[in-house]
């Protein structure tokens, strides 16, 4: 008993002796600065600001040296005084040019995301298609006239349109469950590129706050809370391209601001049959903030798009001279889609490092797509055109409590816990055989879907010396309901399922410029409701088991290097093929890879970045030589250089490369790789900027998307399986004028 009381007394004295420094970070206008890094150089302790700018830094003593840093602000150094420990302090950061020396490698499990923020700030995205390319190793491709969501490749996955990457915008999910075209379909075209503040991402299934579809990784886009100035921009280019952007401050005072943003984009594309593409985006955002206390964001947006498409064409038709690379077999393909969103984000500081964050959303989404992948294989008279359609309402909410100031004796202890739900209601989800987008020939699938996902998660962070340990656990509950409208009798089927996803990450940070990490975890992606009910709830939440081992180092103030080796194993599952309304088994797979990257800024006006990724992806249940995973990339590389500042000349040059890869299981059909470069040149004077944008600078002949498909043309007696492709954009020049006011 004596020893127990002694230990308890020592623990109590350790807690009493622990001193915290508490305060808030604001900019020169008094607005809170979110996600700024606070690093104690003396003790190695670190923290960050919440959405209100509030922070608490544990185990701080008089005369400790503290760094306050955030991209876009000059790093501030402060020596702690006795007064600082007794009062809440206010730190004001001054705006500065973006620089790598503003990056501090604190013990965060996704520290690389902070480093890549520099890429985004120094080379902002020029189009909605570029948003995802900011994630190192992520490759995208468009194959439906610019209106459909991009095809995604990451870590040896052909993710299709989002099956294994969880995508969010300010916490609102983008991936669509049980989508008419494919599970996890993620259309980001409702985001106006100029409204993006940063791109937060993580690779692998290691993050408890990320659930469904987080196997290969996740991406969360954060939009601007306010505008520095109002902006109007216009672009005009080849192929009938016109793009107009307006972003306007409509309210601005000490604690509140609001802005409106809109985008109109028109183009015919490089194809012989004009795309007649049009897209309109409208966004409004209201922001209320009391620095150090609370923050409220209200966002409303609407997006609508229509297009025609030339589809994927067979290589033999080009080789035989039947069509050109930009021709079409069926130019009646195309579609239309829209999405309307209302989002609430609220952050409340509870004091002493505690906070509660709430997000809620409701969206309406509709989708109609006409495609013809096989031409006359199934119907030699009318052709094989299909229509995929759905009308959807989705809603959800999430609340997270976080405590960054707890401690257990000499062991730092932080924790968070959250819970939430998502509900999807889909009416008239259908697949039909059509003719010329006008005549319905046959319904192949037709029904209503209701899907609920409730979840809870908790995680902790223990810091002992230079080590940080992060155990976490997530629980997901799913309910799937499907009403088959093709049945003569009322046919309603339901299934339920739960998934438990443990995570454990270890970080070793010997200095503020060095980090080593070991990540382990289990993730999953849900399957289409139609698969769930057809398979009676079996093998419908396939698990992904991952391990990452890597490092991020800053050998110099303006040089950052990273390297990771990883492996990911995916369970057996059954997959609903939306283009055919059939259920197919997909075997177990294993992927192993190496990732390396470098970022270097020798001077403030020039910035270099590059990333290379190698993956070995195979099915584990097939014979050697027949175990290739179709379209899984084995080597990709991307990088570039940006130069200049706010005034005078500036520009950039970037490239992306993907190696040849197997298009089928025995590697007998090859999807050819490509090397494509883009460039920009700008001249800024006062509040005017004049720019040139060039995509495919060297006019490379490349295929943006490719598939091994069996098809038959109208005049062919037999079918053929070969590469069907969508050609990549040729040399594409646009001019741009921007004015701020």
């Amino acid at each position: 008993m004596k020893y127990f009381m002694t230990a308890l007394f020592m623990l109590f004295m350790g807690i009493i002796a622990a001193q915290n420094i508490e305060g808030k970070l604001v900019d020169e206008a008094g607005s809170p600065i979110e996600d700024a890094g606070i690093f104690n150089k003396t003790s190695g302790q670190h923290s960050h600001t919440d959405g209100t700018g509030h922070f608490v830094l544990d185990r701080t003593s008089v005369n400790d040296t503290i760094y306050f840093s955030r991209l876009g602000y000059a790093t501030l150094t402060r020596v702690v005084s006795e007064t600082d420990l007794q009062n809440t302090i206010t730190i004001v950061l001054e705006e500065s040019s973006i620089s790598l020396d503003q990056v501090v490698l604190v013990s965060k499990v996704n520290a690389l995301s902070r480093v890549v923020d520099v890429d985004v700030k120094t080379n902002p995205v020029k189009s909605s298609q570029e948003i995802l390319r900011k994630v190192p190793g992520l490759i995208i491709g468009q194959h439906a006239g610019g209106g459909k969501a991009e095809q995604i490749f990451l870590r040896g996955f052909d993710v299709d349109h989002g099956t294994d990457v969880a995508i969010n915008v300010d916490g609102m999910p983008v991936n669509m469950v049980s989508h008419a075209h494919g599970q996890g379909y993620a259309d980001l075209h409702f985001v106006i590129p100029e409204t993006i503040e940063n791109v937060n991402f993580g690779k692998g299934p290691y993050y408890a706050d990320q659930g469904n579809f987080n196997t290969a990784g996740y991406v969360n886009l954060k939009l601007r809370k306010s505008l520095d100035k109002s902006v109007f921009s216009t672009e005009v280019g080849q192929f009938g391209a016109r793009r107009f952007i307006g972003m306007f401050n409509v309210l601005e005072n000490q604690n509140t601001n609001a802005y409106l943003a809109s985008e109109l984009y028109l183009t015919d594309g490089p194809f012989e049959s004009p795309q007649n593409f049009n897209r309109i985006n409208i966004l409004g955002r209201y922001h209320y903030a009391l620095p150090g206390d609370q923050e409220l964001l209200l966002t409303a947006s609407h997006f609508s798009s229509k297009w025609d498409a030339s589809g994927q064409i067979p290589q033999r038709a080009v080789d035989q001279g039947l069509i050109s690379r930009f021709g079409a077999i069926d130019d009646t393909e195309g579609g239309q889609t829209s999405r309307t969103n209302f989002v609430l984000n609220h952050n409340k500081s509870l004091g002493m490092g505690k906070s509660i964050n709430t997000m809620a959303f409701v969206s309406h989404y509709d989708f109609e797509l006409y495609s013809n992948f096989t031409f006359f294989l199934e119907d030699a008279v009318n052709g094989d055109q299909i229509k995929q359609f759905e009308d959807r309402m989705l809603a959800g909410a999430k609340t997270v409590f976080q405590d960054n100031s707890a401690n257990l004796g000499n062991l730092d202890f932080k924790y968070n816990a959250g819970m939430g739900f998502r509900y999807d209601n889909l009416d008239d989800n259908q697949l039909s055989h059509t003719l010329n987008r006008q005549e319905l020939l046959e319904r192949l699938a037709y029904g209503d879907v209701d899907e609920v996902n409730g979840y809870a998660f908790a995680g902790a962070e223990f810091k002992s010396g230079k080590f940080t340990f992060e155990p976490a656990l997530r629980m997901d509950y799913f309910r799937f309901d499907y009403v088959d409208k093709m049945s003569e009798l009322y046919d309603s089927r339901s299934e339920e399922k739960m998934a438990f996803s443990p995570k454990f990450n270890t970080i070793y940070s010997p200095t503020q410029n060095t980090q080593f990490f070991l990540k382990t975890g289990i993730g999953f992606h849900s399957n289409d409701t139609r698969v769930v009910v057809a398979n009676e709830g079996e093998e419908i939440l396939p698990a992904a088991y991952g391990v990452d081992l890597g490092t991020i180092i800053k050998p110099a103030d303006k040089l950052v290097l990273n390297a990771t080796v990883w492996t990911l194993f995916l369970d057996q599952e059954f997959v609903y093929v939306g283009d055919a309304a059939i259920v197919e088994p997909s075997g177990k797979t294993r992927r192993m890879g190496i990732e390396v990257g470098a970022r270097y800024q020798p001077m403030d006006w020039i910035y270099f970045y590059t990333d290379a990724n190698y993956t070995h992806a195979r099915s584990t249940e097939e014979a050697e030589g027949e175990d290739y995973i179709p379209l899984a990339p084995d080597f990709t590389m991307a990088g570039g250089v940006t130069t200049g500042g706010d005034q005078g000349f500036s520009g950039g040059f970037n490239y992306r490369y993907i190696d040849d890869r197997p298009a089928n299981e025995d590697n007998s059909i090859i999807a050819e790789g490509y090397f494509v470069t883009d460039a920009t040149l700008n001249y800024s004077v006062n509040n005017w900027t004049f720019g040139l944008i060039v995509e495919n600078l060297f006019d490379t002949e490349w295929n943006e998307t490719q598939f091994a498909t069996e098809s038959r043309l109208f005049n062919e007696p037999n079918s053929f399986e070969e590469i069907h492709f969508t050609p990549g954009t040729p040399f594409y020049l646009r001019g741009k004028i921007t004015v701020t006011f």
Side-chain angles (χ1 to χ4, degrees):
M1 184 69 178
K2 178 176 67 175
Y3 296 111
F4 173 77
M5 294 301 296
T6 301
L8 187 63
F9 175 76
M10 292 177 65
L11 176 62
F12 177 75
M13 290 305 295
I15 295 174
I16 295 298
Q19 298 183 83
N20 300 330
I21 184 170
E22 183 176 5
K24 60 186 179 183
L25 258 69
V26 298
D27 61 19
E28 293 167 285
S31 299
I33 300 175
E34 182 182 8
D35 204 29
I38 300 97
F39 180 76
N40 188 326
K41 182 181 179 183
T42 307
S43 68
Q45 295 295 114
H46 71 88
S47 185
H48 64 276
T49 56
D50 60 21
T52 71
H54 178 265
F55 72 91
V56 171
L57 185 63
D58 298 331
R59 304 192 182 282
T60 304
S61 304
V62 174
N63 295 325
D64 282 359
T65 300
I66 311 295
Y67 290 154
F68 299 89
S69 64
R70 183 69 169 93
L71 282 180
Y73 296 89
T75 299
L76 187 146
T77 302
R78 184 181 182 118
V79 177
V80 178
S81 67
E82 188 69 39
T83 303
D84 292 338
L85 297 175
Q86 297 170 353
N87 301 285
T88 299
I89 65 173
T90 298
I91 302 296
V92 180
L93 296 186
E94 299 179 357
E95 287 193 23
S96 174
S97 59
I98 303 296
S99 176
L100 276 176
D101 59 13
Q102 297 163 359
V103 175
V104 177
L105 299 179
V106 296
S107 301
K108 288 181 69 72
V109 73
N110 58 345
L112 182 60
S113 182
R114 286 178 174 247
V115 176
V116 174
D117 268 354
V118 182
D119 299 3
V120 179
K121 302 290 188 182
T122 57
N123 187 22
V125 292
K126 301 182 292 294
S127 68
S128 58
Q129 192 166 338
E130 272 195 76
I131 296 171
L132 292 176
R133 287 189 185 136
K134 292 299 181 182
V135 178
L138 193 152
I139 301 290
I140 62 172
Q142 175 60 244
H143 59 103
K148 199 165 73 172
E150 275 71 35
Q151 186 179 6
I152 302 172
F153 302 91
L154 179 66
R155 284 198 159 183
F157 279 87
D158 171 10
V159 182
D160 195 15
H161 299 285
T163 310
D164 290 284
V165 176
I167 300 176
N168 306 278
V169 176
D170 278 322
M172 179 184 68
V174 178
N175 304 77
M176 296 294 180
V177 297
S178 303
H179 191 271
H181 184 64
Q183 177 72 342
Y185 185 92
D187 188 351
L188 270 171
H189 292 120
F190 69 89
V191 177
I192 301 173
E194 287 81 357
T195 64
I196 296 173
E197 178 68 24
N198 60 53
V199 180
N200 178 268
F201 68 89
K203 297 183 185 179
Y206 313 119
Y207 317 96
D209 61 335
Q210 303 293 324
N212 200 5
F213 305 115
N214 175 216
T215 52
Y218 80 89
V219 181
N220 183 34
L221 305 182
K222 301 199 72 173
L223 304 185
R224 294 176 183 268
K225 296 179 180 179
S226 61
L227 303 179
D228 296 330
K229 296 180 180 179
S230 295
V231 178
F232 179 77
S233 176
T234 181
E235 290 181 28
V236 178
Q238 294 176 274
F239 316 127
R242 288 148 292 164
R243 182 171 180 260
F244 306 95
I245 291 288
M247 299 170 61
F248 308 103
N249 280 311
V250 294
L251 175 66
E252 193 171 13
N253 58 41
Q254 183 175 359
N255 295 320
T256 61
N257 62 75
Y259 71 88
L260 296 174
S262 61
E263 173 194 40
L264 175 64
Y265 179 42
L266 309 167
T267 184
D268 287 331
F271 301 93
E272 294 175 4
S273 295
Q275 289 177 279
N276 300 313
F277 178 88
N278 67 79
R279 179 172 71 232
I280 185 169
N281 267 311
I282 301 172
L283 176 140
R285 183 159 247 214
Y286 171 81
H287 179 222
Y288 170 79
L290 287 177
D293 180 42
Q294 63 179 306
E295 176 189 51
L296 174 68
L297 276 166
L298 298 175
T299 308
S301 65
H302 175 74
F303 146 79
S304 179
S305 180
K306 295 182 180 180
W307 69 95
D308 298 323
S310 296
Q312 297 149 206
I313 59 176
Q315 183 65 53
R316 64 185 183 279
V318 177
D319 294 342
Q320 295 169 15
L322 301 178
I323 58 173
S324 74
R325 281 178 49 81
F326 294 95
I329 300 297
D330 181 356
D331 63 359
T332 66
E333 296 188 37
Q336 59 185 1
T337 186
S338 69
R339 179 167 180 166
T340 303
N341 307 298
F342 297 95
V343 188
L344 177 149
N345 295 89
H346 182 253
N347 300 319
K348 173 63 177 177
S349 174
L350 305 177
M352 293 304 295
K354 299 178 178 64
S355 63
I356 187 165
N357 305 317
T358 300
M359 182 277 299
F361 73 92
V362 60
S363 297
H364 176 260
Y365 170 83
D366 62 62
F367 174 86
E368 184 179 39
L369 178 68
Y370 294 88
S371 308
N372 189 347
F373 303 112
T374 55
F375 310 121
F376 293 91
L377 179 67
E378 304 295 338
D379 188 333
V381 177
N382 298 301
D384 299 345
Q385 186 181 88
I386 59 172
K387 171 187 175 180
Q388 294 164 313
F389 174 88
E390 69 168 62
D391 184 42
R392 177 189 304 248
M393 286 293 297
L394 62 154
K398 179 170 72 172
T399 296
V400 181
F401 173 79
Q402 189 157 337
D403 186 348
N404 290 324
S405 62
N407 53 69
L408 297 173
N410 293 322
L411 187 66
D412 292 333
F413 173 60
K414 302 177 182 179
Y415 65 93
N416 66 78
M419 61 186 303
F421 78 94
R422 171 178 172 171
Y423 170 66
D424 288 72
N425 170 251
L426 291 77
D427 292 328
D428 299 332
N429 192 319
Q430 64 179 282
L431 173 68
S432 303
H433 181 198
T434 57
L435 177 64
N436 295 326
R437 291 170 68 168
Q438 299 293 325
E439 184 178 351
L440 174 64
L441 301 176
E442 179 186 9
R443 288 198 193 278
L444 303 175
Y446 185 44
D448 294 339
V449 174
D450 285 274
E451 186 170 326
V452 176
N453 173 206
Y455 56 86
F457 60 88
E461 177 184 307
F462 299 91
K463 187 173 176 62
S464 178
K466 299 183 184 300
F467 283 92
T468 302
F469 305 97
E470 298 183 355
L473 178 65
R474 181 184 178 96
M475 183 277 290
D476 284 84
Y477 163 81
F478 287 88
R479 180 179 174 86
F480 307 88
D481 295 289
Y482 183 65
V483 177
D484 187 353
K485 290 186 173 181
M486 293 183 64
S487 175
E488 293 183 1
L489 301 175
Y490 180 74
D491 183 8
S492 176
R493 288 174 284 175
S494 300
E495 295 289 346
E496 296 179 331
K497 199 74 172 180
M498 293 188 70
F500 292 89
S501 306
K503 331 277 184 179
F504 194 92
N505 302 315
T506 302
I507 303 170
Y508 175 62
S509 300
T511 72
Q512 70 189 66
N513 293 323
T514 306
Q515 180 187 108
F516 298 92
F517 55 83
L518 173 64
K519 306 178 188 179
T520 60
I522 299 175
F524 71 95
H525 69 242
S526 69
N527 220 320
D528 191 290
T529 292
R530 289 159 288 191
V531 173
V532 174
V533 298
N535 216 43
E536 298 181 343
E538 299 296 325
E539 298 179 315
I540 60 169
L541 296 177
Y545 308 85
V547 178
D548 275 35
L549 176 65
T551 184
I552 307 174
I553 61 173
K554 281 185 70 176
D557 283 345
K558 295 190 176 184
L559 173 64
V560 178
L561 307 174
N562 65 276
T564 305
V565 294
W566 61 270
T567 184
L568 191 66
F569 177 84
L570 191 65
D571 267 349
Q572 159 77 24
E573 64 172 316
F574 287 85
V575 178
Y576 181 81
V577 182
D579 297 331
I582 59 175
V583 177
E584 292 182 343
S586 174
K588 297 178 180 179
T589 59
R590 178 181 289 111
R591 293 164 173 85
M592 298 177 288
I594 301 173
E595 301 171 342
V596 294
R599 279 145 184 84
Y600 180 48
Q601 191 175 23
M603 290 168 280
D604 288 343
W605 56 271
I606 187 166
Y607 177 75
F608 299 91
Y609 62 98
T610 188
D611 294 282
N613 308 268
Y614 172 77
T615 302
H616 180 79
R618 293 291 186 271
S619 171
T620 63
E621 299 179 324
E622 302 296 334
E624 185 175 354
E626 299 177 359
D627 56 350
Y628 292 89
I629 300 175
L631 300 178
D634 57 4
F635 184 73
T636 63
M637 193 171 183
V641 57
T642 60
T643 63
D646 294 335
Q647 294 291 305
F649 283 102
S650 64
F653 175 90
N654 59 71
Y655 69 89
R656 58 190 183 276
Y657 170 77
I658 185 169
D659 198 8
D660 293 348
R661 58 199 190 279
N664 60 353
E665 289 80 357
D666 63 5
N667 201 26
S668 60
I669 302 177
I670 302 296
E672 294 183 355
Y674 56 79
F675 184 91
V676 177
T677 56
D678 303 328
T680 59
L681 179 64
N682 302 298
Y683 181 75
S684 298
V685 54
N686 298 323
N687 61 325
W688 290 86
T689 299
F690 305 89
L692 292 175
I693 303 168
V694 182
E695 295 186 28
N696 195 358
L697 179 63
F698 300 111
D699 200 21
T700 301
E701 184 177 291
W702 63 295
N703 296 337
E704 186 162 10
T705 56
Q706 303 171 75
F707 301 88
T709 305
E710 182 183 3
S711 67
R712 186 165 75 92
L713 303 182
F714 183 73
N715 60 343
E716 290 181 328
N718 301 308
S719 63
F720 296 88
E721 183 180 19
E722 64 170 355
I723 286 292
H724 291 54
F725 68 92
T726 299
T729 303
F731 180 91
Y732 178 23
L733 175 66
R734 306 192 302 276
K736 182 176 182 179
I737 299 176
T738 302
V739 59
T740 60
F741 53 94

